[in-house]
Amino acid sequence: MEDFLNDWGLSLAVFLPVVGAAIMALIPRAEEQLHKVVALITTLAVAGMGVALLANFDMGRSKDLQFVVDASWIDVINSRYIVGLDGISMPLMLLTMLIVPLCVIYSWNHFPEPHNPKAFLILILILETGMIGTFAAQDLILFFVFFEIVLVPMYFLIGVWGGEERQYAAIKFFLFTLFGSALMLVSFLALYFLADASGTAAGVANTFDMRALPEATAGIALSTQVIIFGGMFLGFGIKVPMFPFHTWLPDAHTQAPTVGSVILAAILLKLGTYGFIRIAIPILPEAAIEWAPIIGGLAVIGIIYGALCCLAQTDMKRLIAFSSVAHMGYTMLGISTLTDFGMNAAVFGMVAHGLITGTLFFIAGSMKERYHTLEIKRLGGLLVSAPKMGWVFGLATMASLGLPGLAGFWGEVPAILAAYSPAEGLSEPLFRAYMVIAAIGTVLAAGYLLWLYQRTAFGTPTEEFVDDPHITDISIPEWVAWVPMIVLILALGIYPNLLFNLTDPAVVAVGDLVAAAAGS
């Protein structure tokens, strides 16, 4: 079994969703039940592969790549098919493998108009391949291909099944992220031509091998490194999205169908933050030190700006979308400290945000289906009309504002604390100022989240919904989709070492590269 997983396990996990999508393409559209079953079996099979990989993952060596496959791909440019997992990519891959089948289960009786389960589920499966492939890729071109694959299915999910302004939101999402990706690709090409990997494991002067590039970039002038890092900063920063590149996010979230919003919040945003920790910082640590104050500054602006925008929203889904801008600001603040502590908090924050905000978007979608509106002033009395949903919404709200004992706490508070003592080469007074500003953001977060919960869940139902028979409590598919996320929010909040034990050795390895660059 171990040999099979080492040779085929990770590649199967990456490409099984495409196989499932190909099978569904051969099934007539009218066979809706069969399409749902094939999609669910496919995503559960992928999740099963993830469990097998986790069971055989050596936790003691989580800083090293495991299940590595290194095969010939595009020989003319020395780009190879290299995939592998370490303590940074494993939790994000597992998060993807959890969220996607839950989205399929939730969609069972919740397919948006126009009603086409076949196309809808095929796009979700293609999305899954792109997301898992991005977390597994260890070659820059392979990473770029998977990174871009997710654009097309998400564009159609928003543009076909979204709200009234869906086409505008879909085009805006596509253009913003494509622009950032173009600059990111230019940076990758610059690394290829300027790095000298002849003395590394790659054995050739020019390579896209992410394992060899940290050593191969040592000879690049610092000014050039800073420019190359800037291209990656824009590519990854738009995907996060960081302030001021965030404007596509509220429109995309608000117009996307429910599972589109869940996948976008839970996983797609993490491709950007993951790119910083996996590629930009380890390969160009000296440039990262130069860029860190800018990244940290934009992160805390995003925290305050996102929170203030939340306070101004009248639509529940748009409020949750702006909260992502604020929450991802904490993740980027942790990354900008360039410390083991801060980057550990960032990885934890990615997973916690995926679970918590994914749950919030699930609840928002279910409320939209029942109330046919998410206008906050028209809602109210959820704890009376659908008490179980009201309590689940309350738990997710408390987790989102960072209440101790729930997962959100371990993503935000350590990121704030990490700013007190940033990496060598960074200004302590500046980052301590960032820490204070970020701490103020937690107060604002409590304000807008408690305001949202009070307006929608407390009191009595508004007059138009008092006796509405459509406002029912949580259905069985909704319970099945939400319970695993709720359990993990509680488990990670109570025992965060479930995740920290996995991520810490890998993050320390990245921190060592930064420390070596600062001392050189």
Side-chain angles (χ1 to χ4, degrees), residues 127-174:
L127 259 175
E128 184 172 28
T129 281
M131 294 181 295
I132 295 174
T134 302
F135 295 132
Q138 296 297 323
D139 177 277
L140 290 180
I141 295 300
L142 186 65
F143 175 91
F144 180 79
V145 169
F146 284 124
F147 193 84
E148 293 302 287
I149 281 175
V150 302
L151 284 186
V152 176
M154 184 53 72
Y155 169 79
F156 283 110
L157 282 174
I158 298 171
V160 176
W161 287 277
E164 294 179 359
E165 301 292 328
R166 58 186 177 273
Q167 293 180 354
Y168 168 77
I171 292 171
K172 191 173 182 181
F173 159 76
F174 196 91

Side-chain angles (χ1 to χ4, degrees), residues 216-227:
T217 55
I220 302 177
L222 178 59
S223 57
T224 306
Q225 287 191 36
V226 169
I227 295 171

Side-chain angles (χ1 to χ4, degrees), residues 446-465:
Y448 66 73
L449 286 164
L450 292 174
W451 173 79
L452 170 67
Y453 189 59
Q454 184 265 327
R455 293 284 301 275
T456 55
F458 288 178
T460 55
T462 55
E463 188 175 339
E464 64 177 310
F465 298 117

Side-chain angles (χ1 to χ4, degrees), residues 162-485:
E164 294 179 359
E165 301 292 328
R166 58 186 177 273
Q167 293 180 354
Y168 168 77
I171 292 171
K172 191 173 182 181
F173 159 76
F174 196 91
L175 291 179
F176 262 77
T177 48
L178 191 65
F179 172 74
S181 299
L183 295 174
M184 182 179 72
L185 180 60
V186 171
S187 293
F188 289 174
L189 293 174
L191 287 174
Y192 173 79
F193 287 113
L194 295 176
D196 182 3
S198 55
T200 69
V204 292
N206 303 119
T207 183
F208 291 105
D209 188 340
M210 289 154 58
R211 302 168 299 175
L213 282 170
E215 184 180 348
T217 55
I220 302 177
L222 178 59
S223 57
T224 306
Q225 287 191 36
V226 169
I227 295 171
I228 296 172
F229 192 101
M232 289 191 278
F233 164 76
L234 285 172
F236 297 139
I238 289 172
K239 198 79 166 187
V240 170
M242 294 183 67
F243 178 90
F245 316 118
H246 66 284
T247 58
W248 64 267
L249 181 70
D251 292 315
H253 267 317
T254 305
Q255 299 303 320
T258 299
V259 297
S261 293
V262 171
I263 292 173
L264 188 61
I267 306 160
L268 287 193
L269 305 188
K270 314 307 180 293
L271 301 187
T273 46
Y274 173 78
F276 278 104
I277 297 178
R278 168 61 68 214
I279 297 174
I281 293 172
I283 293 177
L284 298 171
E286 292 179 61
I289 294 171
E290 299 295 319
W291 272 93
I294 298 171
I295 295 173
L298 292 176
V300 295
I301 291 172
I303 290 169
I304 301 300
Y305 173 85
L308 293 176
C309 286
C310 285
L311 290 168
Q313 298 310 307
T314 58
D315 182 273
M316 178 178 169
K317 204 173 181 186
R318 197 170 179 86
L319 187 152
I320 299 169
F322 270 110
S323 77
S324 287
V325 176
H327 289 310
M328 296 310 289
Y330 290 104
T331 299
M332 290 309 303
L333 177 62
I335 291 172
S336 72
T337 66
L338 303 180
T339 60
D340 306 342
F341 191 48
M343 286 188 280
N344 257 319
V347 177
F348 199 106
M350 292 182 220
V351 175
H353 177 267
L355 294 169
I356 296 165
T357 308
T359 303
L360 286 171
F361 275 117
F362 268 141
I363 294 167
S366 291
M367 290 178 66
K368 178 68 178 288
E369 189 176 82
R370 289 160 170 80
Y371 289 91
H372 304 292
T373 183
L374 285 176
E375 194 174 349
I376 295 171
K377 68 180 181 181
R378 292 177 61 190
L379 303 173
L382 183 64
L383 285 165
V384 175
S385 303
K388 293 172 186 174
M389 188 181 294
W391 283 109
V392 172
F393 183 30
L395 177 70
T397 301
M398 296 303 162
S400 187
L401 63 82
L403 194 72
L406 299 171
F409 177 83
W410 299 106
E412 292 184 9
V413 173
I416 296 170
L417 292 176
Y420 185 82
S421 183
E424 184 181 348
L426 301 179
S427 168
E428 278 193 359
L430 178 64
F431 273 83
R432 287 177 182 178
Y434 291 165
M435 179 188 72
V436 173
I437 297 170
I440 294 170
T442 62
V443 179
L444 294 174
Y448 66 73
L449 286 164
L450 292 174
W451 173 79
L452 170 67
Y453 189 59
Q454 184 265 327
R455 293 284 301 275
T456 55
F458 288 178
T460 55
T462 55
E463 188 175 339
E464 64 177 310
F465 298 117
V466 170
D467 297 313
D468 194 328
H470 297 102
I471 302 175
T472 56
D473 218 330
I474 303 176
S475 65
I476 291 175
E478 289 168 341
W479 272 124
V480 176
W482 299 353
V483 165
M485 300 171 75

